[in-house]
Amino acid sequence: MKNNFDRVFKMSFAGVYPHYIEKAEKKGRTKAEVDEIIHWLTGYDQKTLQKHLDDKTNFETFFRQAKVNPNSSKITGVICGYRVEEIEDKLIQQIRYLDKLIDELAKGKAMEKILRK
C-alpha cells in the first residue's frame, strides 16, 4: 500500500486541481467555491495557492506546508471506499479530506456545511 501512497504524494497538485474545478462546474458550482474550500482546508491564500499551482508542487509538499484547519477533524464519511476519519496516514487523510469536500460541493451541499462552520 505504501507504493500507492508514494505515487499519490508525488502527483502534482496542479495536475489534479483542474479536475476538482471540472467536477464542481459540472454540477453548477464554481472555481471560486473550490478555491474557498482549499483556502479553508490548507490555510493558503489565493497568492500562495497560485504559487503552488505555478510551481507544480506535489501533494506531499502541498499538504506538509499547509496549516490544515483544526476543524478538518469534523470531516467524516466515505471517499474512494475508505472512511476518511479512519485513515491512519495523516497526509493521505488530508488529501482525502480535500477529495471529500469537493465531492460534497459537487453534490450541492451548502458551503457553511462543507466548511464545518
Side-chain angles (χ1 to χ4, degrees), residues 7-8 19-20 34 53 64 71 75-76 80 82 92 97 105:
R7 194 175 64 84
V8 172
H19 298 286
Y20 292 143
V34 171
L53 293 170
R64 291 218 190 275
N71 284 338
I75 301 168
T76 59
C80 298
Y82 295 95
I92 286 292
Y97 280 161
L105 180 69

Side-chain angles (χ1 to χ4, degrees), residues 75-88:
I75 301 168
T76 59
V78 177
I79 191 82
C80 298
Y82 295 95
R83 293 204 67 78
V84 291
E85 63 272 26
E86 295 174 359
I87 296 172
E88 291 182 15

Side-chain angles (χ1 to χ4, degrees), residues 4 9 13 18 24 28 30 38 40 47 49 53-54 57 59 61 64-66 77 79 81 83 85 89 104:
N4 292 340
F9 294 161
F13 180 78
T30 66
I38 294 169
W40 177 86
K47 182 179 177 184
L49 172 59
L53 293 170
D54 293 344
T57 303
F59 269 97
T61 302
R64 291 218 190 275
Q65 292 179 358
I79 191 82
R83 293 204 67 78
E85 63 272 26
D89 185 285
E104 290 176 357

Side-chain angles (χ1 to χ4, degrees), residues 44-83:
Y44 294 140
D45 59 16
Q46 193 60 39
K47 182 179 177 184
T48 307
L49 172 59
Q50 190 58 55
K51 179 157 178 33
H52 282 293
L53 293 170
D54 293 344
D55 292 350
K56 296 185 176 20
T57 303
N58 66 34
F59 269 97
E60 182 174 23
T61 302
F62 184 81
F63 277 101
R64 291 218 190 275
Q65 292 179 358
K67 291 177 176 60
V68 175
N69 191 308
N71 284 338
S72 65
S73 62
K74 295 179 180 179
I75 301 168
T76 59
V78 177
I79 191 82
C80 298
Y82 295 95
R83 293 204 67 78

